[in-house]
Amino acid sequence: FALAALLLAAVCRVTRRPLGFAPAAHVLMAMQGLTFFGLNYVGVYEAERHVASGLVAVVFSTIVFMTPFGAWFAFRTPIAPRTLIGGVLGVAGIALLFLPELATVREGGHVAIGLTWAFGSTAIAAIGNLVSMRMQRAGLAVLPSAAWGMLYGALVAAAWPSGLTPTPPVRIIGAHTDSPNLRLKPRPTTLAAG
């Protein structure tokens, strides 16, 4: 995000979009960076140290419920029934897509830790969406405020201690391939693939 922030700032300079904001706006941009560009990514990476990325993707897809309910709670934005129906279909589709990976999940402490990180990072991202909504309502320009938000998020992610939770034990599966009879046939019976 640090590189993206620099690129966005350069685009803003070239297109003469001001990057200066009042301190109150910087509070919002720092909150956006903390939640949307910082902690939520750290949480996803921590979750994937403990559970399969497919499971994290399914959990993260629940943001389609967290954000609308958060918007209703914070701003009294009505929730359209089609939003809920679309959310259910979307989460179900993602779950089906990752079904083989989800089937490998086993019970255990590392799964609970991974799920906690996954749901926590999703909730933090939903809060980031709400902060972005607040910024939009305050009239903050999107590109310059996103540049600042990404910079703040990059600082948060860079300052985060890596390996905060213990890594699950490593499992190695191997195959024995050094058979004394392993050799290529001079004239294979298969002449074409397929």
Side-chain angles (χ1 to χ4, degrees):
F1 284 116
L3 180 59
L6 292 174
L7 289 173
L8 269 181
V11 167
C12 290
R13 288 283 185 211
V14 168
T15 58
R16 299 194 192 317
R17 292 184 175 130
L19 289 165
F21 288 95
H26 273 281
V27 169
L28 286 173
M29 292 181 292
M31 288 173 51
Q32 180 194 41
L34 176 74
T35 55
F36 202 66
F37 300 116
L39 294 180
N40 113 61
Y41 281 91
V42 168
V44 166
Y45 294 136
E46 289 288 339
E48 289 178 352
R49 294 178 68 226
H50 302 282
V51 294
S53 62
L55 180 56
V56 176
V58 172
V59 171
F60 205 87
S61 70
T62 63
I63 197 169
V64 299
F65 300 112
M66 292 184 190
T67 298
F69 281 106
W72 175 82
F73 182 76
F75 307 115
R76 295 295 181 228
T77 305
I79 302 171
R82 68 177 182 233
T83 300
L84 297 176
I85 292 168
V88 167
L89 291 173
V91 171
I94 292 170
L96 287 172
L97 182 66
F98 288 106
L99 196 58
E101 196 169 339
L102 297 177
T104 65
V105 174
R106 302 283 188 265
E107 304 254 348
H110 287 287
V111 172
I113 292 169
L115 287 174
T116 301
W117 277 108
F119 276 108
S121 66
T122 306
I124 289 169
I127 292 168
N129 282 335
L130 299 177
V131 171
S132 296
M133 290 173 70
R134 173 70 180 90
M135 291 168 61
Q136 184 180 25
R137 290 176 180 212
L140 298 181
V142 174
L143 291 182
S145 64
W148 280 107
M150 287 181 181
L151 178 63
Y152 289 130
L155 293 173
V156 167
W160 189 264
S162 64
L164 197 63
T165 56
T167 305
V170 176
R171 294 185 185 139
I172 298 174
I173 299 173
H176 197 251
T177 59
D178 60 348
S179 170
N181 292 323
L182 183 63
R183 60 179 182 231
L184 296 175
K185 292 182 180 178
R187 292 181 170 236
T189 54
T190 305
L191 301 176

